[in-house]
Amino acid sequence: MHLTVEQALSIFPLSKGRLIAGKTGTSRIVKSVNVMDAPDITDWIKDGEMLFTTAYLIKDDIDEGIQLLRKLDQRGSAGLGIKLGRFWSDVPEPILDEADRLEFPLIELPYQFTFSDQMKGLFYAELQRNTKVLHSVLEKQKKLMQFALKPDHLSNFFHAILGIIGYPMAVVASRGHLVFNSTSMSEAQLLQGWPWKDRSQWVYSENGRHFCIPLTDKEEGIGYVLFYPTEPQLMKVEEGLFHQAAEIISYQMSFVYKEFVDQSVQNDLGYLLSRYLKGNGTIEALTEGAERLGIKLFEGSYQCVLAAVPPEIPESDRSKWLRDLREELKFHPELKNKQVIHFRIGEGEFSIFSADSFSGNGTLPALLAKGLQGLLGAVDATRRPRLSVSGRKCKPESLLKAFQECQDTQQIAERLGIRDPVIQFETVELAYLFQHVPDRKMQLYCDEVLQALLVKDPEYAREMLHTLEVFIDNDGQMNETAKQLYIHRNTAAYRLEKIGELLGVDYKSISDLLRLKLVFVFRQMLNS
């Protein structure tokens, strides 16, 4: 039973009685009802218990009656009901005064009804209330499960949870910033006593009471949700509903809505990063700022990724692209367990990946291409975001160089007409190094190296040059070359043997391979 004294007094047949003292204590919770028929009953009183009596035990001694009220109040009793007419015709004034002083409800019970009648009335009313609450909780649980299987859009998520729970609530992220608030209280009032303990509990303050539940992601605290019920007392099953809602909020904040949790990082650390990349800050200030936020920015080697959307894309589409791209980078099965920090900067989305979790320098671009295939593959290459990947860096002070490599990769790829969604710096590194070589010198070099092949029949020369270019692009892998050319491996080997004889190159010689690599880089730059 969890009724207030005021609510109990509205239930028949107790409603036929009247409150004669302790009116200011009617908010006390009635958890059970008992009959006082033993002189030492105060030793067995439970918190929230209301007693019914005929006043037989105290009829001859007013001081004993006053002491009884005091003991009941100390034990947390909800109130005392007295049936008049048999031993007392009126409750003595000193006892009424003491009940008012203690704010202890004193009730004159209706004489025509037995204690059993009144207790049955209360228990029946409580049964009806509990049944109604259980039906309500069950309906809310169904709605929560339906919502968990198909969550609403970001802007409506917390409002949807609020609508289901039906009580004011607030959500606070792990660093103490307010994420959502439907209460009438200010942020300062909500955050009173911060930081909080990592356990579910009822919290009482001058602003009322609320139920606080920690939000976790893989045993890591990501925030708290506070529920402010309007009912004076809740059943355990209703507290269970709060826990169920907290689980859903934890899941959504950990995955789809983690940007809320990362907001302070974006505001504080993002500002320091932007200053550093613009040359107005130091790497020491950036790393110290990250440590203050509890983030290890550089642990071992790292690689940077810059995701940029073509400038001709409208701003609304651009924002959506970058938002969807970030979610894929963070939550795709191939990428979500990688240690990474994401930033929104002017150029687009900038990410720092820990390279220690990758087996090789080319692994990150491969994983990015695989992980983003569904997002980028179905869009025209001229409109989709392009990701550039820096080389592996080992020192924090190389971050600016890594960022510049990402920018240069974007620019070189645009110049060369490369439409691959993910491009690593090393694939355009030679073009970057030789971008200032005059076109005339590049043309002379290509003509000199390829002279013996260029004088052949144009169709024959074109086919052989394409074969050689694919071979060089695939780092001398014969099987991959044949696969991309849709020819037999022996055919590819025969062609390359003839080309080697014509040009006088040895494919086992690093110098010869470098000369051929430069030739095709120059040809690509000349044709761009």
Side-chain angles (χ1 to χ4, degrees), residues 79-138:
L80 178 65
I82 302 176
K83 180 179 281 194
L84 300 176
R86 186 172 182 184
F87 300 107
W88 279 350
S89 57
D90 293 293
V91 177
E93 198 67 31
I95 292 180
L96 293 177
D97 292 341
E98 184 65 12
D100 283 332
R101 188 187 71 81
L102 295 172
E103 298 182 344
F104 184 80
L106 205 59
I107 303 165
E108 181 184 326
L109 300 175
Y111 186 79
Q112 65 272 34
F113 296 101
T114 66
F115 290 159
S116 178
D117 291 335
Q118 294 170 74
M119 293 170 68
K120 283 180 181 178
L122 291 176
F123 289 136
Y124 180 70
E126 179 67 3
L127 177 62
Q128 285 185 314
R129 190 185 80 89
N130 287 352
T131 302
K132 184 178 179 181
V133 169
L134 288 172
H135 280 296
S136 175
V137 168
L138 180 60

Side-chain angles (χ1 to χ4, degrees), residues 20-60:
I20 57 177
K23 292 180 174 61
T24 53
T26 55
S27 61
R28 294 191 182 209
I29 302 299
V30 181
K31 297 181 181 178
S32 61
V33 182
N34 202 351
V35 176
M36 190 176 79
D37 57 2
D40 62 346
I41 192 169
T42 53
D43 296 331
W44 311 100
I45 285 290
K46 298 189 290 292
D47 180 61
E49 192 166 38
M50 176 179 280
L51 293 179
F52 290 167
T53 181
T54 60
Y56 172 76
L57 297 174
I58 55 176
K59 63 183 177 63
D60 299 322

Side-chain angles (χ1 to χ4, degrees), residues 303-321:
Q303 283 181 276
C304 295
V305 177
L306 177 62
V309 180
E312 61 271 16
I313 302 300
E315 183 59 32
S316 58
D317 293 342
R318 174 186 176 87
S319 297
K320 182 180 184 304
W321 262 118

Side-chain angles (χ1 to χ4, degrees), residues 201-230:
Q201 60 181 334
W202 283 102
V203 179
Y204 298 85
S205 69
E206 63 270 20
N207 300 314
R209 66 171 192 144
H210 64 270
F211 196 57
C212 178
I213 304 177
L215 303 173
T216 59
D217 173 28
K218 298 177 181 176
E219 299 183 356
E220 176 185 354
I222 61 174
Y224 298 84
V225 58
L226 316 177
F227 295 100
Y228 288 80
T230 53

Side-chain angles (χ1 to χ4, degrees), residues 55-304:
Y56 172 76
L57 297 174
I58 55 176
K59 63 183 177 63
D60 299 322
D61 191 336
I62 292 177
D63 288 336
E64 193 170 316
I66 291 174
Q67 290 301 319
L68 173 66
L69 292 187
R70 291 174 179 173
K71 288 181 180 179
L72 292 177
D73 181 61
Q74 290 174 358
R75 297 286 294 182
S77 172
L80 178 65
I82 302 176
K83 180 179 281 194
L84 300 176
R86 186 172 182 184
F87 300 107
W88 279 350
S89 57
D90 293 293
V91 177
E93 198 67 31
I95 292 180
L96 293 177
D97 292 341
E98 184 65 12
D100 283 332
R101 188 187 71 81
L102 295 172
E103 298 182 344
F104 184 80
L106 205 59
I107 303 165
E108 181 184 326
L109 300 175
Y111 186 79
Q112 65 272 34
F113 296 101
T114 66
F115 290 159
S116 178
D117 291 335
Q118 294 170 74
M119 293 170 68
K120 283 180 181 178
L122 291 176
F123 289 136
Y124 180 70
E126 179 67 3
L127 177 62
Q128 285 185 314
R129 190 185 80 89
N130 287 352
T131 302
K132 184 178 179 181
V133 169
L134 288 172
H135 280 296
S136 175
V137 168
L138 180 60
E139 188 63 29
K140 289 179 179 180
Q141 285 178 330
K142 288 180 180 178
K143 290 180 179 179
L144 281 175
M145 290 304 298
Q146 291 168 352
F147 180 73
L149 294 172
K150 190 178 181 181
D152 207 341
H153 188 266
L154 172 65
S155 60
N156 301 323
F157 172 70
F158 292 118
H159 286 287
I161 294 290
L162 175 66
I164 295 172
I165 295 298
Y167 296 127
M169 58 179 267
V171 179
V172 180
S174 59
R175 295 185 178 88
H177 64 275
L178 194 60
V179 172
F180 177 79
N181 179 20
S182 69
T183 74
S184 59
M185 286 177 282
S186 67
E187 182 171 357
Q189 290 174 313
L190 287 169
L191 294 177
Q192 188 176 14
W194 179 267
W196 302 325
K197 295 180 180 179
D198 291 330
R199 68 168 184 264
S200 301
Q201 60 181 334
W202 283 102
V203 179
Y204 298 85
S205 69
E206 63 270 20
N207 300 314
R209 66 171 192 144
H210 64 270
F211 196 57
C212 178
I213 304 177
L215 303 173
T216 59
D217 173 28
K218 298 177 181 176
E219 299 183 356
E220 176 185 354
I222 61 174
Y224 298 84
V225 58
L226 316 177
F227 295 100
Y228 288 80
T230 53
E231 299 295 329
Q233 191 74 20
L234 295 183
M235 297 170 59
K236 283 294 182 182
V237 68
E238 292 178 280
E239 290 184 15
L241 188 67
F242 292 161
H243 283 283
Q244 185 177 352
E247 287 287 335
I248 295 173
I249 293 173
S250 292
Y251 178 83
Q252 299 300 336
M253 284 182 66
S254 300
F255 291 90
V256 180
Y257 306 116
K258 190 111 182 223
E259 62 227 45
F260 280 133
V261 182
D262 294 338
Q263 192 62 46
S264 63
V265 174
Q266 290 299 309
N267 291 342
D268 301 335
L269 195 55
Y271 171 74
L272 294 175
L273 176 70
S274 296
R275 280 181 53 84
Y276 171 72
L277 296 180
K278 292 176 181 177
N280 298 323
T282 64
I283 193 65
E284 288 78 17
L286 179 61
T287 53
E288 288 173 7
E291 288 177 1
R292 285 196 299 271
L293 293 171
I295 298 171
K296 291 291 185 181
L297 197 57
F298 302 104
E299 289 186 313
S301 59
Y302 60 93
Q303 283 181 276
C304 295

Side-chain angles (χ1 to χ4, degrees), residues 349-363:
E349 193 78 16
F350 184 63
S351 308
I352 303 175
F353 282 84
S354 172
D356 293 341
S357 57
F358 301 103
S359 59
N361 204 33
T363 306

Side-chain angles (χ1 to χ4, degrees), residues 311-336:
E312 61 271 16
I313 302 300
E315 183 59 32
S316 58
D317 293 342
R318 174 186 176 87
S319 297
K320 182 180 184 304
W321 262 118
L322 291 176
R323 184 175 65 250
D324 293 346
L325 190 64
R326 172 182 281 210
E327 290 184 4
E328 287 292 325
L329 286 172
K330 291 199 298 185
F331 309 130
H332 191 279
E334 297 282 355
L335 302 166
K336 70 177 183 179

